[in-house]
Amino acid sequence: MPPWSVPEDRKPPIAFETTSTVAAPPDVVYAHLADPRSYIGLSPLIVAVDDVRHGHDAEGRAMAEYVAVERFRLVGPLRWDNRIRVRMVSTPPHGPLVSEVRSPGWVSLRAVVELTPVPEGTRVDERVTAHAPAPLRRFVAGQARQVAAYRAAELTRRMATR
């Protein structure tokens, strides 16, 4: 094993899926989700998005790289701001949005969002896989599931008001 490897890398990833239906057409949902600043409040932990850089990856797909600030409330007024690096690749018009997140503590997460037109608007399917060291796995799994459920509900709310 290379000296930089973390033994926990051999554990299976944290993995789950969420599905929701929103009352907006796929192009509107796609445009919203492809904008990094839309994630402020779309995720209950994200309070800021900084250093947004747009470009294209080696395959010519649109890409945004940015730093998202997650705010964790600890005890009382104490809080901890966790700066995470995000690389989001999009394949318009309705191809998947793939976000890769790197967080301190050897935590990584990959989210793949696919949009499907349905009579009610758009079905949003999100597949999440995450890796974390053993001491953080339970916390990361719980937070990732809570955030995904919140994001689905908030996206549904936002699209209903458009």
Side-chain angles (χ1 to χ4, degrees):
M1 177 173 3
W4 61 85
S5 288
V6 177
E8 289 79 15
D9 284 346
R10 290 180 278 145
K11 292 188 180 294
I14 299 158
F16 61 92
E17 296 180 21
T18 60
T19 298
S20 60
T21 301
V22 299
D27 57 332
V28 171
V29 179
Y30 194 89
H32 189 70
L33 292 176
D35 178 359
R37 288 181 172 73
S38 293
Y39 289 86
I40 298 170
L42 185 58
S43 167
L45 299 175
I46 303 294
V47 296
V49 170
D50 300 321
D51 304 325
V52 178
R53 289 174 282 140
H54 294 278
H56 292 85
D57 70 2
E59 296 174 28
R61 298 174 298 186
M63 180 182 66
E65 293 181 315
Y66 59 97
V67 174
V69 180
E70 293 179 315
R71 178 159 294 155
F72 292 95
R73 301 258 179 231
L74 300 175
V75 177
L78 296 177
R79 65 179 196 223
W80 176 52
D81 286 353
N82 185 38
R83 296 179 62 80
I84 59 175
R85 297 206 163 279
V86 181
R87 180 177 189 258
M88 179 171 44
V89 175
S90 55
T91 49
H94 304 125
L97 283 157
V98 179
S99 296
E100 295 179 350
V101 177
R102 298 283 179 254
S103 182
W106 293 297
V107 174
S108 64
L109 181 139
R110 178 181 171 94
V112 178
V113 176
E114 295 189 53
L115 306 176
T116 306
V118 295
E120 309 91 296
T122 304
R123 186 180 76 225
V124 181
D125 294 302
E126 181 178 29
R127 291 184 318 276
V128 174
T129 54
H131 297 271
L136 297 175
R137 280 180 68 81
R138 183 175 298 214
F139 176 76
V140 168
Q143 288 294 309
R145 288 179 195 279
Q146 285 178 358
V147 165
Y150 182 97
R151 187 171 41 248
E154 177 62 13
L155 183 63
T156 299
R157 185 195 69 75
R158 287 182 183 186
M159 293 296 113
T161 60
R162 289 190 176 253

